[in-house]
Amino acid sequence: NTVNVSEAIKCSEELKIRVEKLGNIEFLIVFYYNFFMACFYSGDYRKALHCINKILNTQQTEVRQDAFSAAKLNNILVHYELGNMELLPGLCRSTYNYLERKGQLNKTENLLLNFFSKTVNKTITAKGKIKAFSELKKELVSVTSDPREKKALNYFDFIAWTESKIENRPFVEIVLLRSRAKDEAKEKAK
């Protein structure tokens, strides 16, 4: 819940100093990725961007390449949330090239990159954006039915994020509702 997210951010601020002193790049990347998630859930996109930049500015991109690749996608997401639409096409091209070079450009990533580079900047009306997000959600649900395509969702729930845009509700609220629904389904299955 929101209280836990706020608590996580407070604890993360205190841990940040200790983590940076350790000098372990892998630990630093994991820490900043988790800190990014807490900030994003709370709607503090500036702090989330700071965390993503800490990951992207590490020189050792081969360490935790999975988290580094996820950070590149989430960098685009954060810039979208901050309203930096003029940056999206360039960030999408850069991320596309990076993922393709690393052999990590799957259908899910391709859908997201196409959405951010093309659809978002062309869609101006609120109704048009809802339609675009609805189409993206439908495509993501379809593509991620393939287990190989779910990898991007291990790092960030893009489907929940699209739902939050469609329903005009906080992302954390949608994540909590989806989590409760999964828990209830597990209980019924017992």
Side-chain angles (χ1 to χ4, degrees), residues 18 27 51 77 83 88 95 130 137 143-144 189:
R18 292 181 188 168
F27 194 69
C51 295
L77 187 75
L88 297 182
T95 301
I130 290 171
K137 178 186 172 193
V143 186
T144 56

Side-chain angles (χ1 to χ4, degrees), residues 5-17 20 28-42 44 47-52 54-55:
V5 171
S6 299
E7 218 171 281
I9 290 172
K10 183 181 173 190
C11 291
S12 295
E13 290 289 354
E14 295 167 9
L15 283 173
K16 182 169 56 172
I17 297 163
E20 288 179 348
L28 191 73
I29 289 171
V30 171
F31 169 79
Y32 273 108
Y33 198 85
N34 287 320
F35 193 20
F36 152 76
M37 292 296 290
C39 294
F40 195 92
Y41 276 46
S42 72
D44 190 344
K47 207 174 268 185
L49 181 61
H50 172 76
C51 295
I52 289 295
K54 283 288 203 177
I55 295 168

Side-chain angles (χ1 to χ4, degrees), residues 81-117:
E81 291 292 359
L82 289 169
N84 300 331
M85 301 308 170
E86 69 283 353
L87 298 177
L88 297 182
L91 290 171
C92 288
R93 276 191 304 279
S94 169
T95 301
Y96 179 91
N97 291 337
Y98 174 82
L99 293 173
E100 188 173 52
R101 193 172 61 249
K102 296 293 183 182
Q104 297 178 343
L105 186 63
N106 297 320
K107 291 176 187 173
T108 305
E109 288 83 354
N110 218 355
L111 276 174
L112 292 164
L113 292 170
N114 281 330
F115 177 78
F116 284 114
S117 65

Side-chain angles (χ1 to χ4, degrees), residues 69-170:
S69 296
K72 288 188 81 60
L73 275 174
N74 288 319
N75 185 42
I76 296 166
L77 187 75
V78 172
H79 279 291
Y80 173 83
E81 291 292 359
L82 289 169
N84 300 331
M85 301 308 170
E86 69 283 353
L87 298 177
L88 297 182
L91 290 171
C92 288
R93 276 191 304 279
S94 169
T95 301
Y96 179 91
N97 291 337
Y98 174 82
L99 293 173
E100 188 173 52
R101 193 172 61 249
K102 296 293 183 182
Q104 297 178 343
L105 186 63
N106 297 320
K107 291 176 187 173
T108 305
E109 288 83 354
N110 218 355
L111 276 174
L112 292 164
L113 292 170
N114 281 330
F115 177 78
F116 284 114
S117 65
K118 298 173 184 168
T119 309
V120 170
N121 283 331
K122 292 179 183 173
T123 310
I124 300 186
T125 66
K127 203 174 196 176
K129 284 186 179 181
I130 290 171
K131 183 179 179 197
F133 278 109
S134 296
E135 289 172 15
L136 176 62
K137 178 186 172 193
K138 185 175 151 186
E139 291 172 338
L140 284 170
V141 168
S142 172
V143 186
T144 56
S145 63
D146 178 347
R148 294 170 295 176
E149 290 295 330
K150 285 188 176 183
K151 190 171 71 171
L153 299 180
N154 290 338
Y155 291 93
F156 189 86
D157 192 342
F158 289 100
I159 295 172
W161 181 74
T162 58
E163 282 181 33
S164 76
K165 296 301 174 192
I166 295 163
E167 297 177 20
N168 195 26
R169 293 166 68 184

